[in-house]
Amino acid sequence: MNAHLAGKKHEARTSGRGTSLFCQACGKNIISGEWDSHISGTTHRAAAARQQIPAKLVPEHITFGLVLDEVEKDKHGVTIEGDLDFGVVRETNARAGVLIIVTLKTVVPASKIELKGARLSSAFSFTVTVEGVGRAITQHQPVSLKVEFRGNHIGRYEDRLEVIFEDTALKKQFVISRPLRAIVGNPEDHEVLRPKAPYIPRSRTVRDVEKDIIGGVPPPSMEAVRYIAPLPRAIIPTELSSLLSNNLPLSETIKRMRRLYLPSSLNGNTYGRHFKHLIWAEEYKMNRDIERYDIHSATLSKYNAIYYLSVPGLAEKRPSVLVGDRILVQAAGTTTGRWFEGHAHVVRKEEVGLRFHSSFSGWSAQQKYTVHFKLNRIPMQRQHQALDAAFTQDRMHNPLIATNPPQIRAVQSIVSQPPGSVPLPGTGKTVTMVEASNRSGFQPNSQDSVCAPSNSAADLETIFRFYAPSRFKDQVPDDLLDYTIGHFSHIFIDEAGQANETEQLGPIIRSNVARNLGLEIATRAILISTGNLTISSSVVKLINNFRSHNAILKFPNDRFYGGDLRSCADVKIINNYIDSPYLPSKEFPIVFHSVSGKDDREASSPSFFNIDEITQVKSYVVALRADRKYRTIDQDIGIIAPYHAQCVKIRASLRAVADGVKVGSVEEFQGQERRVIIISTVRSSKEFVDYDVRHTLGFVANPRRFNGVLLIVVGDPQVLGLDPLWRSFLNYAYNNGGWKGPDIPWDPLEPVEETGYDSRALTLAGVEDEDANVDRPWRDVE
């Protein structure tokens, strides 16, 4: 409370600064902190004298919305006729200029109205002139205004036209205002990509507990591997579930979690209890998230013993359903409370094939069913099981490593160190791990298990593979089918350093509670912070980067690697786009393209998309594909966006021009490289700025996003600049000549405030947000 009372937001609110006040004499709103200077000014005093009201009048405390309502009203019988929304204007037309004529009329026969002037709030992209010489407005003689728009960049343009009139009979001036709007872009894109339906948040219903469940028939792949020890049930304790469902403020939930369930210190004796409760908190939130996809009036089709369920959003993995997953169905109107469990045997683009128990009856093509999607608990059970359980030759197979001393030392360290040792690589980890695996094979009785973050990544290693049961045998490359099972003397885990404590495939944490209590912190970081891992001769940091141009590497290197990384890539490759027409600074292969766009949502999906940024991204892709000097194919380009809806819309816009371009979230690009990386940040519209700041996905904080030899970032600096990390990156791009589009809205030479800009007033009240995880990916097959 004391911190709040001392804060800038509270002080500004109680002092009255920032409040809008309406001046009746001038017909416009004034910031309260500027009121005294306004009423002492000559313009205000003249306006007050004309209207015979006191210059030092009492201000009207009203909201900004009410101010706009007031100034946009027609007054004294005067109307402004004409639509001042220019709509979507093509780039070529916007550069040449487009015109709209509006008419000023009066409907009062004997009125004496005179046009005194017309002005714009900013006068940057719009201009206004009066047609003709007459200024008197009568019922039979209107006056016309010519409003022209010119814009040089894709995006949204807004201004405000203020028309000043005088009622000469009353000797009183008044103002009528109108908003001006224009969009520079592709009309076809806006037509095809516009929201399909107005956004209406999906209503959340509380599930009744399914107590009577008839088990289904699992697919054969689920029985392919017999486990010696059964998995623990590890059901969430009732008291913990009750705490997490109480809708308490986040800070209070975390406080109670610490007091009731978590040990006071983290060590070998308390490790299991600590993380089991965080896993339960995560599982609780995962269950809540998957409930949003329940279907309340579904039908089933049938072929042989398989019942097919159409699942909206399945192709987009919202929800993600894998072979072996469980889905519960109940006939509409049933009174028994009985549910039938269907195991997924077939997963197609838009439907899932389920097998039920033989007692499943009463089916017809018209029968309606309630459908509940169920979380696959096996990954969580395995984590609980792990917590319960315990805690050669010198020739290099890879010639690139043979000339890289740090990687040579890393390979030698991995091969020679005792069991349980943990290396600490930096960049170039995967190729180092593969080499270490190859060399360990020369040791007597060596049996290697190599863990990779996806099935496709596992295909790169010609050793025995464990695949997810959801991957069919015919999906495995033919030349890899002969490798058979054994026991393991060496276990290699790629990308282990970015894993959370109990999940090796990526720290995608859905629970705000678990995230704040440390489940998202990487294993490596916890080992170091608790003193269980120290930098020693057996730990080698890989510092040579073979992927990126030095200019692209510099920002993450300085911010996150302490300047240790070295650019060692082939100069011919990394300079491929130097001096190309895409670069505002010909020696600097980074572009920040400023776009003032608008966030949209559609139907029941809370995920955002930004058509203006899509148009700009598409423009770059089309130009790259058509360039015969700087040849670029689809497979050279990767497009990253933090919002699922944006990825879907970008793919749709590129389908006819560059269907092979990879588009996805950061997680979908893990371990993959592209020569050209285009990032669409999406966050833009001011009405969503609080949401955007709250749900920042930390784009810049991960140097992986900066691989490549040409980096193009498309975004709105007005919103991105609220985040200190983003502002630092934008300053870096601008000060090196990499800026395109509307100018930077702050001084890029000023030091960045690491506490942030204005976002302190835009944070959540401290509760779990039901929409926060809509853009966090679920597990995937590949």
Side-chain angles (χ1 to χ4, degrees), residues 245-404:
S245 63
N246 273 341
N247 293 322
L248 295 169
L250 177 62
S251 58
E252 180 62 24
T253 302
I254 291 172
K255 180 180 177 181
R256 295 190 186 188
M257 280 279 292
R258 291 187 189 278
R259 185 177 76 248
L260 298 175
Y261 299 107
L262 302 185
S264 57
S265 61
L266 188 62
N267 53 48
N269 296 323
T270 62
Y271 178 94
R273 179 160 62 97
H274 178 92
F275 280 102
K276 284 176 75 70
H277 283 88
L278 299 195
I279 294 169
W280 276 322
E282 173 71 358
E283 182 179 352
Y284 174 86
K285 189 64 174 74
M286 293 172 75
N287 275 314
R288 289 289 297 151
D289 286 348
I290 206 168
E291 286 177 15
R292 74 163 52 246
Y293 303 109
D294 288 351
I295 306 173
H296 299 287
S297 186
T299 58
L300 299 174
S301 59
K302 184 181 179 184
Y303 182 76
N304 294 331
I306 304 291
Y307 294 85
Y308 287 91
L309 170 69
S310 178
V311 181
L314 184 64
E316 302 167 4
K317 298 181 175 56
R318 265 71 174 177
S320 172
V321 179
L322 306 180
V323 171
D325 282 359
R326 300 162 53 241
I327 297 176
L328 304 185
V329 304
Q330 184 183 74
T334 185
T335 58
T336 64
R338 176 169 295 177
W339 292 82
F340 282 88
E341 176 189 72
H343 284 269
H345 282 238
V346 179
V347 178
R348 294 174 177 164
K349 187 175 181 179
E350 297 178 346
E351 62 181 5
V352 177
L354 306 172
R355 284 202 63 181
F356 300 103
H357 188 268
S358 57
S359 61
F360 181 71
S361 60
W363 170 85
S364 73
Q366 292 74 39
Q367 174 66 51
K368 302 292 185 180
Y369 294 90
T370 299
V371 177
H372 286 183
F373 292 90
K374 303 299 289 184
L375 180 69
N376 187 333
R377 297 193 67 244
I378 291 179
M380 319 300 287
Q381 290 175 280
R382 286 175 178 162
Q383 293 176 52
H384 282 284
Q385 185 179 52
L387 290 170
D388 292 337
F391 197 6
T392 68
Q393 297 178 21
D394 293 331
R395 179 178 62 85
M396 294 291 171
H397 293 258
N398 190 326
L400 293 176
I401 290 183
T403 59
N404 188 329

Side-chain angles (χ1 to χ4, degrees), residues 719-738:
V719 175
L720 298 178
L722 297 176
D723 179 80
L725 191 58
W726 265 115
R727 183 174 285 227
S728 297
F729 174 72
L730 267 55
N731 287 348
Y732 174 66
Y734 187 90
N735 292 329
N736 284 277

Side-chain angles (χ1 to χ4, degrees), residues 549 574-580 583 585-589 630:
H549 190 281
I574 63 174
N575 286 339
N576 190 72
Y577 292 95
I578 293 299
D579 204 36
S580 70
L583 304 180
S585 176
K586 300 307 180 184
E587 298 295 320
F588 186 70
Y630 300 91

Side-chain angles (χ1 to χ4, degrees), residues 227 286 319 340 439 594 709:
Y227 292 95
M286 293 172 75
F340 282 88
R439 293 198 61 206
S594 172
V709 297

Side-chain angles (χ1 to χ4, degrees), residues 392-417 430-450 461-463 489-490 492:
T392 68
Q393 297 178 21
D394 293 331
R395 179 178 62 85
M396 294 291 171
H397 293 258
N398 190 326
L400 293 176
I401 290 183
T403 59
N404 188 329
Q407 287 185 308
I408 291 174
R409 292 198 303 273
V411 171
Q412 293 170 341
S413 171
I414 292 171
V415 174
S416 63
Q417 61 188 324
T430 301
V431 69
T432 304
M433 186 200 73
V434 172
E435 180 64 32
S437 170
N438 286 333
R439 293 198 61 206
S440 69
F442 286 99
Q443 297 182 357
N445 303 317
S446 172
Q447 296 276 356
D448 291 355
S449 172
V450 180
E461 265 295 300
T462 54
I463 57 175
S489 60
H490 296 77
F492 298 87

Side-chain angles (χ1 to χ4, degrees), residues 589-610:
I590 296 178
V591 178
F592 177 77
H593 201 120
S594 172
V595 172
S596 177
K598 181 181 183 295
D599 290 322
D600 279 310
R601 295 186 280 187
E602 63 185 2
S604 61
S605 171
S607 186
F608 286 106
F609 60 94
N610 187 319

